[in-house]
């Protein structure tokens, strides 16, 4: 029971810290919090970088799922174990 409470508190603290960091350092177009640190050009660059990062993250997750579905990983999480 104590481990569950500790885990919930850690998730709560992590979420609050992430929210503070995101609202402090990201431009207004991403957070809806007034942030005068970035001009329009810089804001668009940050949005494009996040879009490309998200695209590669989704691509990596799809590849990982396909590898798992096609059984190229074993229970010990060694990729391409059956190929080599």
């Amino acid at each position: 029971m104590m481990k569950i409470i500790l885990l919930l508190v850690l998730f709560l603290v992590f979420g609050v810290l992430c929210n503070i960091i995101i609202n402090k350092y990201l431009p207004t177009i991403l957070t809806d919090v007034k942030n005068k640190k970035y001009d329009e050009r810089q804001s668009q660059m940050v949005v494009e970088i996040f879009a490309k990062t998200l695209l590669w993250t989704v691509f990596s997750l799809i590849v990982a799922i396909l590898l798992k579905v096609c059984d190229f990983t074993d229970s010990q999480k060694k990729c391409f174990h059956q190929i080599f």
Side-chain angles (χ1 to χ4, degrees):
M1 182 67 174
M2 189 67 171
K3 287 184 180 182
I4 295 173
I5 294 172
L6 181 63
L7 185 64
L8 291 174
V9 169
L10 286 175
F11 276 126
L12 180 68
V13 169
F14 179 74
V16 168
L17 287 176
C18 283
N19 198 8
I20 290 170
I21 291 170
I22 285 171
N23 286 334
K24 184 173 182 181
Y25 292 111
L26 289 181
T28 304
I29 195 168
L30 293 173
T31 60
D32 294 331
V33 175
K34 291 289 184 186
N35 193 347
K36 302 283 187 192
K37 286 178 20 176
Y38 302 105
D39 63 359
E40 185 66 27
R41 183 181 56 86
Q42 291 172 327
S43 294
Q44 290 300 323
M45 287 174 53
V46 170
V47 169
E48 289 177 13
I49 290 169
F50 275 127
K52 289 179 183 178
T53 304
L54 179 65
L55 180 70
W56 279 106
T57 303
V58 170
F59 178 73
S60 300
L61 289 173
I62 290 172
V63 168
I65 291 169
L66 287 175
L67 287 174
K68 191 67 173 174
V69 167
C70 294
D71 202 26
F72 286 123
T73 58
D74 63 356
S75 62
Q76 302 299 321
K77 305 288 190 249
K78 296 177 186 172
C79 287
F80 303 111
H81 180 70
Q82 294 176 351
I83 295 175
F84 298 110

